[in-house]
Amino acid sequence: MFSSILTTIFVIILFLLIFLNFISLPGNWIAAVLIIISAFIVPDGTYTFFYWLLFFVLLIAGEVAEFYLQILHGKKANASASSNVFGIIGAIAGGIIGMPFLLGLGAIFGTLLGAFLGSFLAEKFISHKETEEAGKVASAVVMGKFLGILLKFSLGIYLVFYTARTIFEAL
């Protein structure tokens, strides 16, 4: 029974870590480090070769999806490279600044607003685009960022569910 309680607490912590993705922090990777550490604690054979294969595929797919979708949507709107870079920097800063608001949900809005502002300012002042064009590019970058974060978050949630099932089956 004690191990079930500890496992439940561990899984809850993993779920909470996955939410860090919404503020552009590496929630999936922090959870992954804890899962790797747990491999030394859980009974031998809990994590199979297939588990680890899926584990790393999900982690890498989440990262690729987040950045690829942002860049893809930005490219469709003719975003410059600096627009994507400043969009990422703005997303991280906005997520951190927005975190204290709305019981933590402000981080989501801060991330998206930060991505917009970073991308917009890069387009306006580095690429010298008109305000309307810079706004369109920034909106496209934010849409890609949002879809990327959502996909990365979903993959992280699946990873936690899969890990929980794997551990609970071994108890």
Side-chain angles (χ1 to χ4, degrees):
M1 174 165 153
F2 183 70
S3 61
S4 293
I5 293 170
L6 288 177
T7 301
T8 302
I9 292 169
F10 177 66
V11 169
I12 290 169
I13 290 169
L14 293 178
F15 273 118
L16 293 175
L17 288 171
I18 299 303
F19 280 92
L20 290 176
N21 290 313
F22 282 116
I23 58 170
S24 292
L25 292 176
N28 290 3
W29 289 95
I30 297 170
V33 168
L34 290 181
I35 292 169
I36 291 169
I37 292 169
S38 78
F40 297 103
I41 300 168
V42 298
D44 286 343
T46 298
Y47 298 128
T48 64
F49 172 77
F50 179 74
Y51 172 85
W52 289 117
L53 180 66
L54 183 61
F55 174 85
F56 286 110
V57 166
L58 290 173
L59 285 174
I60 293 167
E63 293 302 315
V64 169
E66 180 181 14
F67 294 107
Y68 177 74
L69 288 172
Q70 178 180 342
I71 292 167
L72 178 71
H73 277 75
K75 275 189 175 182
K76 287 182 181 179
N78 296 321
S80 63
S82 61
S83 180
N84 280 311
V85 170
F86 281 92
I88 291 168
I89 293 168
I92 294 169
I96 292 170
I97 291 168
M99 195 179 331
F101 302 102
L102 300 172
L103 300 173
L105 292 176
I108 298 168
F109 300 112
T111 295
L112 298 176
L113 181 61
F116 181 87
L117 288 174
S119 180
F120 178 81
L121 293 173
E123 288 297 321
K124 182 77 174 149
F125 297 109
I126 296 174
S127 298
H128 306 290
K129 292 187 179 173
E130 295 295 322
T131 302
E132 186 177 331
E133 180 66 20
K136 286 180 183 177
V137 170
S139 295
V141 167
V142 167
M143 178 56 72
K145 181 71 171 174
F146 176 73
L147 293 174
I149 289 172
L150 195 59
L151 183 54
K152 181 179 177 180
F153 173 77
S154 299
L155 292 171
I157 290 294
Y158 180 78
L159 176 64
V160 172
F161 272 118
Y162 187 66
T163 301
R165 191 187 97 210
T166 301
I167 294 173
F168 278 110
E169 284 178 354
L171 293 181

